[in-house]
């Protein structure tokens, strides 16, 4: 089954939100991607509409920007 | 059991996020509060740290601001 994807970049805001999201929806029900490390997935995140991290892309393609850790420009450095 | 609370104000950004959150965590696992209508709960939301809606307050007290529909000042009018 397709899962929502939680994109983050390892920042403190990201890690805190990641814990909350995993508590809420369960570890096995979300794919967690650190685009600070998996940099080849930055383009995919941007194409999905992610403007900042942390963000969750739902299975229907909606983007939920959660709090604000870093912009994509900051992630790309 | 204590549930996370999703605060919103009926705006289009709010309604979209509400659908996504309910899809993700299940209707019975979150309390949804429309502070545009239940205005006596605005103070409770502010005390919890909600700065804008839609926002989710987790059972551990963390606030997840999701996208941006309206500031609390706009909700209060």
């Amino acid at each position: 089954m397709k899962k929502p994807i939680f994109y983050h970049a390892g920042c403190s805001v990201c890690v805190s939100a990641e814990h909350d999201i995993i508590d809420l929806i369960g570890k096995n029900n979300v794919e967690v991607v650190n685009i600070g490390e998996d940099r080849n997935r930055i383009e995919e995140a941007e194409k999905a509409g992610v403007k900042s991290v942390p963000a969750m892309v739902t299975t229907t393609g909606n983007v939920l920007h959660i709090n604000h850790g870093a912009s994509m420009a900051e992630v790309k450095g």
Side-chain angles (χ1 to χ4, degrees), chain A:
Chain A
M1 203 188 85
K2 212 178 159 189
K3 291 180 183 183
I5 306 176
F6 179 82
Y7 292 100
H8 74 97
C11 59
S12 59
V13 169
C14 295
V15 170
S16 172
E18 181 187 344
H19 288 159
D20 290 332
I21 291 295
I22 285 176
D23 282 350
L24 287 165
I25 69 178
K27 195 178 179 175
N28 297 324
N29 299 320
V30 58
E31 180 184 358
V32 175
V33 177
N34 182 337
I35 54 173
E37 290 173 352
D38 281 354
R39 300 186 68 83
N40 58 340
R41 296 195 65 176
I42 290 175
E43 191 182 344
E44 157 202 315
E46 284 189 312
K47 277 191 184 156
V50 173
K51 305 285 184 203
S52 62
V53 285
M56 178 122 87
V57 178
T58 71
T59 54
T60 54
N62 284 350
V63 184
L64 301 173
H65 292 98
I66 300 166
N67 296 333
H68 184 89
S71 67
M72 290 306 268
E74 287 166 331
V75 171
K76 289 194 268 187

